[in-house]
Structure formats: C-alpha cells, structure tokens
Amino acid sequence: MSDVSTTKSMDDIMSLCKRRGFIYQASEIYGGVNGFWDYGPLGAQLKKNLRDAWWQDIVMNPCQGKPGPKGDPVSIVPVDTCIIQNPKVWEASGHVGGFNDPMVDCRETKSRYRADHLFCMGEKGDKSGQIYAFVENNDASFDAALKKLGKYKKKELTKDDIDICPLTDLSVDELAITVGPDAKEVGTLTEPRAFNLMFKTYLGATATEDDIAYLRPETAQGIFINFKNVVDTTRVSVPFGIAQTGKAFRNEVTPRNFTFRSREFEQMEIEFFCHAEEANDWYAFWRDWRMQWWQEIGLAGENLILREHDKDELAHYAKEGAGTSDIEYRFPFTAPGYGELEGIAHRSNYDLNAHQNHPDSNTKLEYLDTTRGELAKNGQPKGERYLPDVIEPSAGLDRGVLAILCEAYTPDPERPSKVFMKFHPRVAPIKAAVFPLVNKDGMPEKAAELHQLLVKKFGHLGKIETDPKQSIGKRYARMDEAGCPFCFTIDGDTLTDGTVTVRDRDTAEQKRIPFDDVVQFVATGLGLT
Ligand code: ATP
C-alpha cells in the first residue's frame, strides 16, 4: 500500500479529477465560488457507489450481519429529514449559541484563518522579538515563517531553535508583535472573534428577523427530533439506530484542501440509541466496525488510522469518561498528519435531553423499556423509562470520496496513461468496459451483445462502458484513468472460437476467457459470488 504523502501530489490528483470528470469547481464559468464543488459523471457515480455501500452495510444489512456486543443482530432504520427545520431545533442543539469557530483576519492580506488552525513561532528564550504565525499542517507556511524569522534574526534557524505555541495562547500584547502567515507587516492579525457557521435564510416573502431559518449544519438533529416518531410508528426497540445521508452546510471560515473542507457537503450519520449501561460496549463496537468498513472499501493501509481523543478534546456533549474517536486518513495535504473522515462519539443523552427540555418542544422523549425495571408480581419487568444514550458514527461522504481518490491514484510511468486509479471494485464508477478491436467485421455487433448482457446484470451497480473508436491502447488508457477494473475486447478470434480478451487494470495483464464466462468473471471480480 502506498504512502500518499511521499508519492502523490495533490495538484496531480486534482488535475486528473478535472480532466476525467470526477470533480469540477462549482460555477466555474463564473470564476467559481469558494468552498463549493460539483461532481462530474465519474465523480457522481463514485460518490453514489460509496453512499450505496454505506446504505447497504448500515441499513439493509447492518454491519454485514456482525452481531452486537451481546450477540443480537444490529437493528437500524433509515429516515430522510429536511434541510430546513424549525429554527428552535438549532437553539436546542446548541448550534445557534455555540456553533462558533474563532476566526482571525489579517488586515494586510485580507486573509481569514480559523484561530485554532494558526500556530506561532519565536526564537527559543527570546521574549521580546517578533512572533511569526503559520498555518498548522501546512509545510509551505511553516517554512515561510521560519525563513522570515531567520531573516529578522539575521541567522539561519532550524526547527530546534524555535518555540511553537497555538495562536490562541497569545496575549493581546503578543498578538501586536505577531506577523501573519502571508503578511509582511507586524501586528496585522485581529483578535480571534466568534463566527457562527450556520447559513441563514428567510422563510416566506417578508424576510424579517422573525422569518430567519438555517440550513442544517449536520444531519444528526433531523434524527433526534424524529426519535419519538420512529419509536411510536415502527417496531424498533432500544438498542437500535436511525441512519440518514444528506447534505449539510457550514459557512466555513477557510474552505480549503479541495473538497476536504467545503461549505456544502454530504454526511452519512447513524444515531445509535442504547441504555446508558450498555453505551461503552456499543461505542467500542461501532468504533471498531466503522474502521473495518473503511478498510474493506479500499483504505486498507497505513494511511488510515483510528485515533482516540484526548480528554481535553472532548466535545461539549461528550460524557465524562466516555469515548470519542476519529477515523483519519493521511491526505497528501495533511501528511505527515491526518485528516478526519468520520467521528465516533458517545453523545450521552445530550441531544434528546436538550429537545425534551426546550420550552417550545413540549414533548417527552423518554423511552419505555419493557425489558427492564423491577419485577412485578406476575414475574414480568415493570419497565423503565429513560432517555437513551447515543453513539454517533458520523462520516463525511465527500471526504470519503476524496480519500478514495487519493488512495486509488497510482502513478505508473510504464503505462500510456502514466497513472491508473486503483479503485476497490465495489466503488469503481465504471464496473467493466467492452471494446470491439476494430469497428467492423461483425465485432461491433458482438461487443454490443456483451455490453447489453453486462448492463442487464451489473448496470445497477455502475456504468458498463463501450467504445468502438480509437486505438485499443488509447481506450485502455482512458479506462485506467477512470479506474475501470476489467476491459473485455472482442476480436477476430471471438467470432471463431468464442473467447474474448480480458485485461486486468492493476496488472495490465491480458488473458483469453470464453465469452460465456464473462458474466461470472465480472460477478467474481465485483465480489458478488
Ligand atoms: P472538522 O474538525 O474537520 O471541522 P468536525 O469535527 O466539525 O470536522 P463533525 O461535525 O464531526 O466534523 O462532522 C462529521 C463529519 O462530517 C466529519 O468527520 C467530516 O467527514 C464531515 N465534515 C464536517 N465538516 C465538513 C466540511 N466542511 N467539508 C466536508 N466534510 C465535512
């Protein structure tokens, strides 16, 4: 497995994404719009395949049949809730009051940074000299700051000569002698200011303050506010989960790193409701299974890690002593560090409690568990009412797609395309391609027959490509860049001996198999048998 940090350049990956129609800048013909990305034909299918894989393994066949901590099957039901909800939902959840990132502006360069992403350096032991700020996890920014400090000190400095601290630890006086990451002048950074990340809109025509609503910053709250509906209208019983996928919007201060930090993105979230006594076991179960899932979908190497949070990182809703962990991927732009793909959090009963206690919700959300409580005279439990604890595995679909693109990108100077995309067959946007060697002599008709056969069998899983034009080498090269696992070629021999050539994407090896075995060959390759 390759180390993306050393062998792959983000510029190369982005240029392939554009060239082959995976991802485009949104509103490109108008100069783009910062923090928004559109998916092209291959990207849309890749994203759908990842979302479908999640849906299949969470909703249709939870955890691929793996039993929960007590040996019972895992139970999950889906919902699909609105992007705009009553604004009180976001008051109760804490987003109106607390969904703030501290933000710093540079008066000189007009750049805006998240305060918690800025770090500062000064020469060791020197309290009076200038301080230089740089952007965390950005080597170029770090090197530039070190160079500027060296120039100011009139000597060559290395990492060992400096002290580093978060910008948020600086006093006002220290901020006044700080040079911003891209600035030349001293003291141009503002103090960190809170900034609400929710996009506002107005409901109805009058657009007064009373009509303000918000685009959801996470899909999770749509689940919590429907907890009672789901319990009352279906046959679920705790422990069970509710899952949904959908768009979320955050007015990120500094959208960057391609789709990694966007202002519009898609989440795949599960809220898993369980009794507080069982929450730690369910937390460990979900944490481990979600890690395994990302590995099975093609991120199986040292670029993927599971990181338990330190105590001081815990979010406001996390229970004292309860676990929170991130599944992180080493993207080319975070290397040697990692960026979050999915967070698994033990949220206690924070959200249900907040919605139950909001003065305007007026709804008891407690669950009556008839399997618990003291035993009645008839020997049956009397039941226990409680607000369940929640384990939340919350994944970013766009970040998942980006990690898969980075992992799949495989430079190969020997090939005409110089690169191929080594997608796991389950997510590959094109599942197979059928080519007539030349566009005559009965070959196009035979290719069309095989193409139709494969479309009927596998077309619901992804595209089956066919293309009669150009040299066969060029057609293979195009499929390598698209990450198509298998190409079948119909040639003169096909018409006489009933065999076709199959070319394997990863090895570029070719062999002949009977025409009649192609469907079985693809089924096996896609892991369907
Ligand atoms: P970060 O610390 O990177 O801002 P977060 O901890 O705020 O992320 P969560 O609120 O836990 O993220 O959201 C769950 C998932 O949603 C994340 O793991 C990530 O995959 C995805 N996500 C969050 N913010 C963005 C964004 N701006 N762009 C793309 N995906 C995002």
Side-chain angles (χ1 to χ4, degrees), residues 122-131 153 163 173-174 177:
E123 193 178 8
K124 266 191 182 144
D126 177 10
K127 297 261 178 243
S128 56
Q130 286 176 17
I131 299 171
K153 291 284 175 186
D163 275 334
D173 290 344
E174 286 169 325
I177 54 167

Side-chain angles (χ1 to χ4, degrees), residues 114 250 252 259-262 265 267 340-343 394-396 399:
R114 260 178 60 175
R250 295 183 190 176
E252 294 281 359
T259 56
F260 181 83
R261 189 169 299 288
S262 322
F265 55 96
Q267 293 185 311
E340 175 181 332
L341 278 188
E342 171 161 352
S394 167
R399 285 193 191 172

Side-chain angles (χ1 to χ4, degrees), residues 211 327 332:
D211 305 317
I327 296 172

Side-chain angles (χ1 to χ4, degrees), residues 280 311-312 314-324 346-348 389:
N280 284 341
K311 267 212 180 95
D312 57 0
L314 291 187
H316 59 286
Y317 50 73
K319 206 171 187 169
E320 188 63 28
T324 300
H346 179 174
R347 292 179 75 107
S348 65
D389 268 20

Side-chain angles (χ1 to χ4, degrees), residues 275-277 366-374 381-387:
H275 191 276
E277 281 169 8
E366 279 166 352
Y367 173 78
L368 174 61
D369 190 334
T370 52
T371 66
R372 289 178 178 268
E374 286 169 34
K382 284 183 180 164
E384 181 186 331
R385 273 184 198 281
Y386 58 88
L387 282 179

